[in-house]
Amino acid sequence: MTKQGFGSCQDLRLISRLRLLPSPAVVEEAEAATRMIVDAYFARNKPLPEVRDLMATRAIDPLRAFSEECRAELQALEAF
């Protein structure tokens, strides 16, 4: 995201380009990750110990599902 905030022209162009190539599942995970990041941006600030605990339990990992879906798609393409 740019400093202008979510929804700037640059962000929308990037998301539109992302929708051209990957499968619908990858696009869905990318959109979910974006929503999680934006929601976190507008949520209350968490104390560092709470953030550490969330990271330790993997409760806060907005890119995990997206990266796993990307990896699965890449492996499927390499199988051809």
Side-chain angles (χ1 to χ4, degrees):
M1 264 188 292
T2 64
K3 288 193 176 236
Q4 292 120 353
F6 179 71
S8 72
C9 289
Q10 184 176 355
D11 294 332
L12 296 176
R13 281 194 307 260
L14 179 62
I15 291 170
S16 294
R17 281 181 49 199
L18 178 64
R19 287 186 178 122
L20 288 175
L21 301 173
S23 68
V26 170
V27 172
E28 184 178 318
E29 291 299 341
E31 290 173 344
T34 301
R35 282 190 299 276
M36 288 172 64
I37 291 167
V38 170
D39 289 347
Y41 180 81
F42 288 106
R44 69 168 177 82
N45 290 337
K46 293 175 176 41
L48 288 178
E50 185 178 343
V51 172
R52 183 178 55 234
D53 292 343
L54 289 169
M55 291 177 70
T57 60
R58 296 190 177 202
I60 184 171
D61 193 352
L63 297 178
R64 177 173 280 292
F66 172 66
S67 62
E68 288 173 353
E69 193 64 45
C70 289
R71 185 176 303 109
E73 185 168 309
L74 181 60
Q75 289 172 344
L77 289 173
E78 289 175 346
F80 278 99

